[in-house]
Amino acid sequence: MSAPVLSRRGFIAGSAATGLVVAFHIPFADEAAAQAATPAVATPEINAWVVVQPDETIVIRIARSEMGQGSLTGLAQLVAEELDCDWSRVKTEYPTPGQSLARKRVWGNFSTGGSRGIRESHDYVRKGGAIARTMLVQAAADGWQVPAAQCQVDKGVITHPASGRKTTYGKVALAAAQLTPPADVALKDPKDWKLAGKRLARLDTRGKLDGSQVYGSDLKLPGMLNAAIRDCPVFGGKLASFDAAAIAGKPGVKKVLRVGDSAVAVVADTWWRAKSALDALPVVWDEGPNAKIGSAEIAATLKAGLDAPEAAVGNSNGDARAALASAARVVEAVYAYPFQNHATMETMNATAKFTPASDGVPARCEVWTPTQNGEAAHAATVEASGLPASQCEVYKLLLGGGFGRRGAVHDWVHQVVAIAKEMPGTPVKLIWSREEDMTHGRYHPITQCKLRAGFDAAGSLTALHMRISGQSILAGVFPQNIRDGKDPVVFQGLNAPGPEASIGYGVPNLLIDHAMRNPHVPPGFWRGVNLNQNTIYLECFIDELAHATKQDPLAFRRKLMTQHPKHLAVLNAAAERAGWGKPAPKGVYRGIAQTMGFGSYVAAVAEVSVDKEGKLKVHRIVAATDPGHAVNPQQIEAQVEGSFVYGLSAALYGGCTVKDGRIEQTNFDTYPVLHLDEMPKVETVVMPSGGFWGGVGEPTIAVAAPAVLNAIFAATGQRIRELPLKNHSLKKA
């Protein structure tokens, strides 16, 4: 589905067209489902973003998904800031993609990924709050027959100082909803913020603590059945046959059916009965030619790309090849990064109800699911159901983890709709088993990188060539976005100077290129995406160059960063807080790294020790981040800490291997995550410099691994160039 850009004019027009008293009702099947998506009651809608209830409750609509990153609270803060309402009375709800489509996409982009939730919607959501405030104040002024400019508002209380009269948002909401929205509004200067920029508690915490929060796998609807599914374990393989008669007598089984070309599902009265019957179902797969492929063959293909003559150029200046040919000294290294699984705590799941046409009422397909992109889930529902978009709806639920897996690809939605069509009129909930989830992910792309640096006789860096060989996410997910064989996402963190993912070093002769090599394992947007491996490649190699020339790693970087002040600022801040240059505790060693991605500048210093048996302990990580504006510093700190959990899990344990065409790691026994006792102390320096809006959920993941790897080298003399660390002995060289 194409996503038109939301213009200011479109935003105003869309709000004005529906700015009267609008009932915002969602036809859920029962109260539990209604609670899961918190629909608004039939009270005055001031505009698409704000509903004011008579009891002074402020309902703020949030189109972006909440999956633990805090966007729900941060975006509500921005709206509430411009609205000048009472924060203690704020609640949130999700609009649905079907409603947004019917209203000409008044809520803009539903996609939540790439740390874009706040940085790409702050402007129009703030305008939504400011427009609503203007209308509410105007309604009060009209009632008092005074100019609106003479009125003041604070925490939802409108005052006319000259006469001493006061009223509240709830009392004037009905009148305000009938006004024409203003054509333009002024937004507050961030220096005047009262709610935004403050350390406010999250709005979604209580439900998680008391168990009232409904996730997709919790959802219950009247008459609901449950489905378990198994897809061909080899990517590209097909379902040859299955023997449904073999499980016909299993308790609770309602149906066994083929799903698409490659999967079989069992529908039963409970999920466990469905899964147990599925486990007992005789299945024959047509695994196809990919069943002969393993990790060794994939690695060989990527290795060949490191020296291939053809490659797409992502960034260049000067003549790196000539400078390397004439260099007094050349330093070279090859790094590699594996497939990695998203491994969300909540596996893929969705509930669907397909209602056939009857008595002149058109057919309808409804889906309840955790998704990072309600519009993409809606498009998947439309495609799978075969119905017009107006006859489909998706109700978003809070995500038990997303990390990119629930964003671009909605394979589980296609599956559940296909199953529901075979069970018309009956809600069916599909839950993937952990093994299914691990075997059918959309994996972090696998790549290798050869780096060559040239120095002149004086020891100055004169040239750098980075050749990346490996997988393209866009080729696997959005192939229409490949231009002349180039995937621009491959070069995250290595771009020319600019507002997004730019390299932080000045090198006279630079060449960064990519030899695309796409194995059969499907790629996906994995939290941090290509910034992760690119930062390891560059920051560990820069560390190598510093040691090769007998220079302090921080001092060496500083020399290359004179034209990159924001990169340098976070690097210096992290180094200063960590005490770089001062003695570390006995047996503890430091490593440093920096990058720029998702609109923000980040750096980290890691402190580690490695005992004589080679056991690694990460004691402390100091991270500095400049996101331009800090909407909720407390949430930024939480996101930085969480990103290190994710980044360190990936560095220590996160590697997927392929055997006989399939992923070998099928559960947490073979794909572990960081344990509580392995988590280091994290110190966060939040240093917003203003003037731009960056993300905070993903950038610091990228500096976790290289900072630790560089510290491991300082501790052991070993340069680890391939992850995960679990595959290496860390005993001193």
Side-chain angles (χ1 to χ4, degrees), residues 1 18 26 76 78 83 110 119 125 127 163 175 187 201 218 223 239 247 261 270 360 382-383 386 412 505 606 637 719:
M1 174 183 291
T18 54
I26 303 174
L78 290 174
L83 185 59
F110 275 59
R119 67 186 174 115
V125 303
K127 286 178 180 176
S163 64
L187 298 179
D218 302 323
L239 173 65
I247 61 169
D261 292 330
T270 70
V382 170
E383 182 178 17
W412 72 96
Y505 302 112
E637 292 172 6
R719 187 64 71 178

Side-chain angles (χ1 to χ4, degrees), residues 571-591:
L571 183 75
N572 285 336
E576 182 178 355
R577 172 70 70 87
W580 190 277
K582 299 177 182 178
K586 185 177 180 181
V588 174
Y589 298 84
R590 295 187 179 117

Side-chain angles (χ1 to χ4, degrees), residues 497-655:
E500 177 52 52
S502 65
I503 193 169
Y505 302 112
V507 182
N509 299 282
L510 177 70
L511 175 60
I512 302 172
D513 54 14
H514 173 226
M516 190 183 298
R517 299 292 185 272
N518 293 317
H520 75 293
V521 177
F525 296 102
W526 189 98
R527 192 179 182 200
V529 200
N530 293 297
L531 189 69
N532 295 319
Q533 70 268 21
N534 290 346
T535 304
I536 292 172
Y537 298 157
L538 181 60
E539 287 302 298
C540 289
F541 190 61
I542 288 290
D543 218 67
E544 290 200 45
L545 299 183
H547 286 283
T549 55
K550 296 181 170 52
Q551 298 183 63
D552 173 79
L554 174 60
F556 183 76
R557 284 174 169 83
R558 283 171 169 166
K559 291 178 183 178
L560 302 175
M561 298 174 76
T562 56
Q563 301 302 312
H564 303 271
K566 292 191 181 296
H567 290 82
L568 181 59
V570 291
L571 183 75
N572 285 336
E576 182 178 355
R577 172 70 70 87
W580 190 277
K582 299 177 182 178
K586 185 177 180 181
V588 174
Y589 298 84
R590 295 187 179 117
I592 194 167
Q594 66 80 34
T595 193
M596 188 266 185
F598 305 99
S600 293
Y601 302 83
V602 297
V605 174
E607 294 183 343
V608 312
S609 63
V610 181
D611 67 19
K612 61 182 180 180
E613 300 302 321
K615 183 178 180 180
L616 171 70
K617 175 69 175 177
V618 184
H619 297 271
R620 177 188 182 215
I621 296 181
V622 177
T625 180
D626 177 4
H629 293 287
V631 174
N632 189 322
Q634 179 173 285
Q635 274 307 112
I636 294 175
E637 292 172 6
Q639 280 296 287
V640 170
E641 292 169 6
S643 71
F644 286 133
V645 177
Y646 209 70
L648 291 176
S649 290
L652 270 65
Y653 307 116

